[in-house]
Amino acid sequence: MEGKKLAATLQVQLIEKVKTLKTTPSLCVILIGEDPASKIYVAHKQKACQAVGIAVQLIKLPSTTSESVLLSRIDELNQDDSQHGILVQLPLPKSINTLTILKKINPHKDVDGFHPINIGLLAQGQPHFQPCTPLGILQLIDHYDIPVKGKHAVIVGASLIVGKPMALQLLDRDATVSICHKETKNLATMVAQADILVSAVGIPNLIKGDWIKPGSALFDVGITRLKDNTIAGDIEFTKAKEKATWITPVPGGVGPMTVAMLMRNTVMACENTYSLEANTHR
Ligand code: GUN
């Protein structure tokens, strides 16, 4: 599956949409510390904003930043009507409680969809802002017409960023969902049952090619830089490709879709259509 190509198509659609808006959408990205991968992801997000016509502001803070300083920065952004979207890049330094921070972001500006209210709306089947990576995978599922109803979807990794929201979204589309994690016994047996497999662990080649169910759809969220400076996903790509009908490459698969969905959520934040009662954005 060509995530990069689909993301580019969606980006063109967003550029046109932004031109029709009365206000320029804006996104504030907070980056704490010097994590090399986070710096790269944030750079991709900034570049996409510039391409789409979203005003992007980067707030860089040192890894020694206290939780209370970060909370008050978020508070300022919450109050600032000129800021439509707020994103705190994860992971945070260990001294900061991630859930405390995510809870502070105004749910109407929560373009990552990690606030308890937005996760709750998703769990109720009434989503507004949805986490960008699983939302990007849903776009790929729709684009490639991959059947979901009644299929067995196996998710490897139970994170708030990918695994848990992905499970809710696929359940909402009538898949039978299994979530695997680091305590799961017999991962091979679980993976072998998967019509749809989403792996978001970050262990290179954890999922062996000979575990894959013939005809399945494979979504690889893992991105690990190896010692030789190449990038590897969670799935043994070359072998898995022989068995699967659909597979995302790493890089160029799910990653660009995540960024495209962040752009979409930011435009939604600008449109200010947030309602706790009636949510039409799916
Ligand atoms: N770190 C890895 N993925 C994400 C994401 O989607 N959002 C944020 N804020 N941090 C991340």
Side-chain angles (χ1 to χ4, degrees), residues 41 45 87-91 112 114 132-133 161 258:
Y41 297 146
K45 291 171 185 180
L87 179 148
V88 178
Q89 186 64 28
L90 304 178
D112 256 331
F114 296 155
C132 302
T133 299
I161 297 178
T258 298

Side-chain angles (χ1 to χ4, degrees), residues 120-177:
L121 287 170
L122 176 60
Q124 287 182 329
Q126 295 281 301
H128 187 80
F129 292 122
Q130 302 183 61
C132 302
T133 299
L135 188 58
I137 291 173
L138 290 185
Q139 298 292 313
L140 286 165
I141 284 175
D142 289 340
H143 181 77
Y144 287 96
D145 254 332
I146 296 169
V148 176
K149 198 182 278 238
K151 299 295 180 184
H152 191 178
V154 175
I155 298 165
V156 187
S159 71
L160 175 70
I161 297 178
V162 185
K164 285 178 189 167
M166 185 85 264
L168 292 169
Q169 288 159 329
L170 290 171
L171 193 58
D172 208 38
R173 290 181 173 214
D174 297 326
T176 301
V177 179

